[in-house]
Amino acid sequence: MTKLGTSPDVAHQRPSDCGGSSALPLLDSDVLRSFVAIAESGSFTRAAHNVFRTPSALSMQIKRLEETLGQSLFVREARRVRLTPQGEVLLGYGRRLLRLNEEAVAHFIAPPLEGTVHFGSPDDVGSRILPRVLAQFARSHPGVQVEVVVGRSIELLERLDAGELDLALVTVGNQGLPAERGEVVFSEPLVWASLEGGVAIERTPLPLALANHGCAWRGMALGALDRAGIEYRVAYTSENCAGQEAALLADLAVAPLPPSLVRAPVRVVDAGVGLPPLGEYQVALVRGANIGSASEVLGGHVVEALQGLR
């Protein structure tokens, strides 16, 4: 006869056994902040200065973090450290967790921001950061309206001086732009770009797709070619990067671009081709004379997004 009742195995099961796994460790926001600082600066020493800790303290934090995750996060090289593939994955999570933590704290502690911010950006920078910045800012500060103007750096600066803009990103080195204006918040190398498998790179004189006169990228490219003694012709001129990209896709020319704008089937020209290096360009954030708290907070979001492009 079978006796009906509760099985001993079921009766003595603990609630934690039913879930199939034990609780996972939590990531400390202070450790994540240190990790992100090291990843973005490429140096324990520079990161230590940014987070007000000693390099040895950061080293201990990262060691414990690697032990917790069971993964190596950094490759130590002679002059810098770089992320492992696992570290690259954690960097994305770390930035998102820190932003979420900031939004949660600001919701309860920071006074609500209201009003309108007028923000200007060149198209090459804005296309890369504005979707993420505006979405994040709208979530954390729904009472603030952001109006965006995309245009040439010199025109943005004129509008800022006229009181039409509160903040503006400008490319340092553009003709007519005072070098001392604004705070440099981002720098990035320029590279030569061409169509993968295209023939424009092989033509003489070298056909170029450039921005209009006065653009820093244009000046850097022409100056480098002149110094190298390479013949060229300006085959295509455009006010924005989309126009340059169209010329590259049609295999009409090569162009100077930042690596973050180079997308297949366009490729970075290999150094062995013989084109001269272009150096780095800089982006500055210029603030209006009487900006408010909302503008300052948006400026912080913009700088953080630019750092994420590296």
Side-chain angles (χ1 to χ4, degrees), residues 239-253:
E239 289 191 359
N240 54 54
C241 293
Q244 288 178 280
E245 185 178 27
L248 295 177
L249 291 173
D251 197 23
L252 297 177

Side-chain angles (χ1 to χ4, degrees), residues 169-204:
L169 287 173
V170 298
T171 303
V172 176
N174 278 358
Q175 185 177 346
L177 195 69
E180 69 277 4
R181 291 296 299 269
E183 170 196 1
V184 174
V185 293
F186 180 69
S187 63
E188 186 178 22
L190 279 185
V191 297
W192 293 105
S194 68
L195 181 68
E196 178 75 40
V199 297
I201 188 69
E202 301 172 1
R203 293 180 180 141
T204 302

Side-chain angles (χ1 to χ4, degrees), residues 12-193:
H12 291 91
Q13 276 184 334
R14 297 189 301 271
S16 61
D17 294 334
C18 298
S21 63
S22 59
L24 294 172
L26 297 176
L27 296 176
D28 183 87
S29 60
D30 187 52
V31 176
L32 281 177
R33 190 170 290 105
S34 297
F35 167 76
V36 171
I38 297 165
E40 290 180 344
S41 66
S43 165
F44 276 75
T45 301
R46 287 193 292 271
H49 176 76
N50 293 337
V51 299
F52 306 103
R53 289 180 176 272
T54 64
S56 60
L58 291 193
S59 183
M60 288 299 298
Q61 281 186 321
I62 298 305
K63 180 180 179 181
R64 289 194 296 269
L65 180 60
E66 290 178 327
E67 290 173 350
T68 298
L69 299 177
Q71 302 285 347
S72 177
L73 302 174
F74 288 104
V75 176
R76 277 75 169 175
E77 297 177 339
R79 296 186 176 181
R80 61 176 289 120
V81 295
R82 59 180 175 85
L83 291 168
T84 64
Q86 294 81 6
E88 293 279 2
V89 173
L90 181 62
L91 181 60
Y93 282 115
R95 284 173 173 153
R96 286 156 52 193
L97 288 169
L98 290 174
R99 284 196 297 269
L100 186 60
N101 181 76
E102 179 184 337
E103 290 177 19
V105 173
H107 178 81
F108 293 101
I109 295 179
L113 295 177
E114 296 180 343
T116 301
V117 178
H118 304 274
F119 175 70
S121 172
D123 77 292
D124 57 275
V125 179
S127 63
R128 287 177 285 170
I129 68 166
L130 283 181
R132 178 157 57 97
V133 168
L134 296 178
Q136 178 188 342
F137 192 77
R139 289 194 303 269
S140 56
H141 304 288
V144 179
Q145 179 179 346
V146 181
E147 296 184 359
V148 179
V149 175
V150 175
R152 297 171 59 221
S153 293
I154 188 66
E155 295 168 353
L156 295 175
L157 194 57
E158 290 172 353
R159 297 188 66 168
L160 186 138
D161 290 339
E164 299 174 9
L165 295 177
D166 301 302
L167 295 167
L169 287 173
V170 298
T171 303
V172 176
N174 278 358
Q175 185 177 346
L177 195 69
E180 69 277 4
R181 291 296 299 269
E183 170 196 1
V184 174
V185 293
F186 180 69
S187 63
E188 186 178 22
L190 279 185
V191 297
W192 293 105

